[in-house]
Amino acid sequence: MTQITSKYAYGRQIGNKTAKEIELLTNSFFSKLIVPSHWQYSSYQDIYNTSDKAHLSSGHIFKTTKDTGTIYIKIVFIIAPERGAICEKTFDDIGSRPKYKTVISNKTIEEINEYIRLNY
């Protein structure tokens, strides 16, 4: 598991959620996630606020290929709103800097599963 800190905590108020409540919410979200069988699981990543070390989000990263090459897809659970997002990381050329794109955000797990089913 990778832990990253974020100096940008815009609109991310977690409230009075305990670590156990956050873990239950995160596990519940990802237990309902449905991904294509050709996606390879890569890693898990947590994001924390740099100022107060608050847990902001958790994500599962998958690797797959498209016509344009390898793509990394991160399914993110954002703790404060209890919603999810899909982000893509691609490389134009070998050795080039990655390009990041938020595909959808502020969605329920059902909406994310439907988007995956229709677009991947």
Side-chain angles (χ1 to χ4, degrees):
M1 171 176 63
T2 305
Q3 294 185 0
I4 295 180
T5 55
S6 172
K7 62 183 176 180
Y8 305 103
Y10 173 79
R12 291 172 172 81
Q13 298 298 322
I14 295 174
N16 296 325
K17 291 184 176 86
T18 66
K20 184 68 175 171
E21 289 172 323
I22 291 171
E23 181 182 357
L24 288 172
L25 287 169
T26 304
N27 289 344
S28 174
F29 180 86
F30 285 114
S31 71
K32 298 173 189 167
L33 178 64
I34 302 168
V35 298
S37 60
H38 64 275
W39 285 14
Q40 294 176 304
Y41 183 79
S42 179
S43 63
Y44 182 79
Q45 186 176 63
D46 286 327
I47 306 292
Y48 292 88
N49 188 355
T50 55
S51 62
D52 62 4
K53 305 297 185 219
H55 190 173
L56 300 176
S57 68
S58 294
H60 286 280
I61 302 169
F62 300 89
K63 179 180 174 182
T64 190
T65 55
K66 281 190 173 180
D67 297 339
T68 57
T70 300
I71 182 170
Y72 292 88
I73 300 167
K74 182 176 180 182
I75 310 296
V76 182
F77 176 68
I78 305 154
I79 294 165
E82 298 180 18
R83 306 280 269 183
I86 299 176
C87 303
E88 292 182 353
K89 178 171 119 176
T90 57
F91 299 89
D92 284 343
D93 298 313
I94 296 175
S96 69
R97 296 187 65 133
K99 292 188 178 184
Y100 298 90
K101 177 174 127 182
T102 300
V103 179
I104 60 170
S105 63
N106 197 29
K107 302 295 182 190
T108 65
I109 189 62
E110 293 79 16
E111 291 170 318
I112 287 174
N113 285 335
E114 183 65 11
Y115 185 88
I116 290 170
R117 186 183 69 76
L118 294 174
N119 295 284
Y120 294 101

